């Protein structure tokens, strides 16, 4: 079954510390993965997608097919990074639906 | 462009009432979807549409109806509201189904059922 697992409900770090939000997936084909972010009282927005291999706001995520992981990393956390982060897997075929993890709330303390 | 617009932003209903959550997009996207967001549950897909006139069920469709008469609009109907439907509802769109283009989300509708 296709599934996205984010094992941490809450992750709390101090400003300037490295941060890693974990995401593991289960998918039979070649996965397309995304990270979405939701800042307080705002809409969900795309942070990055693995196909672009980009760095947004200092965040990166590498797809590791051997470990079926797509962890989100940032070397130095900022207070404005505090938000809810969702890992999502594109359900292939004609549906194109996103399968979301349960989310991780990142809290960056001053 | 307004992107994805949802109305209303907040709504309180009594058990058994019906209502329609509106969603409109002005990006000529083929694919539209509805999610509900609950604490500890993430986002779960309710219904989706790959184009005008085509709808299908997602993970949690019971108690909800949708229609897609135009490309722009994708309303979500609660037939007989129940307290279990208290949630935040998000509408999203993307250029086409199976697209690796990002989905664009609306601001959400916070719905409380008493």
């Amino acid at each position: 079954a296709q599934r996205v697992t984010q094992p941490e409900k809450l992750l709390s770090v101090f400003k300037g510390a490295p941060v890693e939000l974990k995401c593991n997936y289960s998918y039979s084909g070649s996965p397309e993965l995304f990270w979405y972010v939701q800042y307080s009282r705002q809409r969900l927005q795309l942070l990055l997608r693995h196909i672009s291999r980009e760095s947004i706001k200092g965040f990166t995520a590498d797809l590791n097919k051997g470990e079926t992981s797509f962890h989100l990393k940032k070397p130095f956390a900022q207070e404005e990074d505090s938000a809810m982060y969702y890992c999502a897997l594109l359900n292939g075929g004609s549906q194109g639906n996103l399968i979301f993890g349960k989310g991780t709330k990142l809290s960056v303390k001053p | 462009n307004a992107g994805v617009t949802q109305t209303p932003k907040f709504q309180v209903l009594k058990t058994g009432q019906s209502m329609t959550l509106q969603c409109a997009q002005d990006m000529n996207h083929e694919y539209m979807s509805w999610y509900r967001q609950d604490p500890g549950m993430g986002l779960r897909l309710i219904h989706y549409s790959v184009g005008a006139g085509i709808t299908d069920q997602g993970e949690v469709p019971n108690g909800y109806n949708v229609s897609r008469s135009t490309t722009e609009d994708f309303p979500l109907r609660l037939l007989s509201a129940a307290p279990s439907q208290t949630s935040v509802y998000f509408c999203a769109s993307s250029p086409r189904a199976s697209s690796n283009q990002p989905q664009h989300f609306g601001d959400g509708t916070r719905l409380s059922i008493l």
Side-chain angles (χ1 to χ4, degrees), chain A residues 12-99:
Chain A
S12 185
V13 301
F14 285 102
K15 177 183 175 181
V19 62
E20 180 180 64
L21 288 84
K22 291 183 168 52
C23 172
N24 288 91
Y25 66 91
S26 174
Y27 189 68
S28 57
S30 184
E32 295 192 44
L33 289 150
F34 305 81
W35 276 99
Y36 281 82
V37 60
Q38 186 180 28
Y39 300 102
S40 179
R41 300 186 180 279
Q42 294 187 24
R43 64 179 66 185
L44 273 83
Q45 55 187 287
L46 179 72
L47 182 60
L48 54 80
R49 45 185 170 163
H50 93 272
I51 196 169
S52 301
R53 301 187 63 81
E54 57 202 344
S55 174
I56 303 294
K57 298 184 179 181
F59 284 97
T60 59
D62 290 320
L63 176 61
N64 185 323
K65 290 186 177 181
E67 295 183 357
T68 60
S69 68
F70 188 56
H71 302 329
L72 183 68
K73 300 177 184 179
K74 185 170 183 177
F76 307 104
Q78 303 298 316
E79 289 181 68
E80 55 265 30
D81 295 329
S82 296
M84 195 74 180
Y85 290 81
Y86 291 97
C87 183
L89 169 69
L90 183 66
N91 184 9
S94 61
Q95 296 175 337
N97 303 324
L98 284 176
I99 301 168

Side-chain angles (χ1 to χ4, degrees), chain B residues 6-47:
Chain B
Q6 290 184 238
T7 56
K9 293 189 184 302
F10 303 95
Q11 184 72 47
V12 178
L13 292 177
K14 294 181 179 179
T15 298
Q17 287 185 313
S18 62
M19 80 159 294
T20 300
L21 279 63
Q22 302 292 344
C23 175
Q25 53 90 10
D26 60 359
M27 299 172 282
N28 201 32
H29 285 173
E30 291 183 1
Y31 179 88
M32 297 185 73
S33 57
W34 277 101
Y35 295 88
R36 58 178 291 174
Q37 183 185 42
D38 301 292
M41 300 295 291
L43 280 86
R44 292 179 292 170
L45 183 67
I46 305 171
H47 284 284

